[in-house]
Amino acid sequence: MIWARYAIVFLCVAIGVAQLVLWLNATQDMALGSAAQLMVPAMIAALVEGQQEARTRKTHPGGKAAWRFAFVATGVAVVMNVGLAFAGPDVAPEFAKLSIAPVQSQQFWMLLGLYALGYVLCNRFFYTLGISNKLTLMRGRDEAE
């Protein structure tokens, strides 16, 4: 695993989607944006990491390794989430909603806990999905030749 790659993909997707939604809302008179935007960066980053893992190892890791990835990746995602929350609504409005509550408040920690739970589930599922898809693609190429 390359955690820097996970963090970069997470940040690029989070900021990219947020800016696209801001632009569409401003130019197309739309009202886009939802809490689902918080999970999409973790989904894509975990999928990319799973594909890279399959490419490197050429085998599916066990469940224990996948859960280990999910928990460590969740730690990275939570740090990125808090960073984006305090970057402000001009950078990522959905993430900035976390910073409305004071850091010492129970509301802040409850929201962060809910986000972390979502990240664990997304990271675990999409990591193994990325591995499975890449291994299937690699096997298909070997059989075709």
Side-chain angles (χ1 to χ4, degrees), residues 13-113:
V13 171
I15 293 171
V17 169
Q19 293 302 307
L20 178 64
V21 168
L22 282 172
W23 178 75
L24 286 172
N25 286 343
T27 61
Q28 303 298 317
D29 195 31
M30 295 180 166
L32 297 175
S34 73
Q37 275 182 254
L38 299 171
M39 295 301 132
V40 171
M43 291 174 185
I44 294 174
L47 192 67
V48 168
E49 284 303 313
Q51 291 172 341
Q52 294 302 319
E53 181 74 10
R55 182 177 295 152
T56 302
R57 296 185 189 256
K58 296 179 179 34
T59 185
H60 202 299
K64 188 175 180 179
W67 279 111
R68 186 174 35 251
F69 167 83
F71 285 115
V72 174
T74 295
V76 173
V78 167
V79 169
M80 298 292 112
N81 188 328
V82 171
L84 287 168
F86 290 102
D90 291 336
V91 176
E94 285 300 320
F95 286 90
K97 291 178 181 177
L98 176 64
S99 67
I100 293 171
V103 176
Q104 303 87 358
S105 72
Q106 185 177 8
Q107 179 186 9
F108 178 87
W109 293 105
M110 284 293 288
L111 282 172
L112 200 57

Side-chain angles (χ1 to χ4, degrees), residues 125-143:
F125 178 75
F126 283 92
Y127 177 69
T128 55
L129 181 66
I131 291 171
S132 297
N133 286 347
K134 188 65 177 180
L135 288 175
T136 300
L137 182 64
M138 289 166 57
R139 278 188 216 112
R141 286 183 183 162
D142 288 344
E143 292 172 5

Side-chain angles (χ1 to χ4, degrees), residues 5-17:
R5 180 177 50 220
Y6 179 91
I8 290 168
V9 170
F10 186 98
L11 284 175
C12 289
V13 171
I15 293 171
V17 169

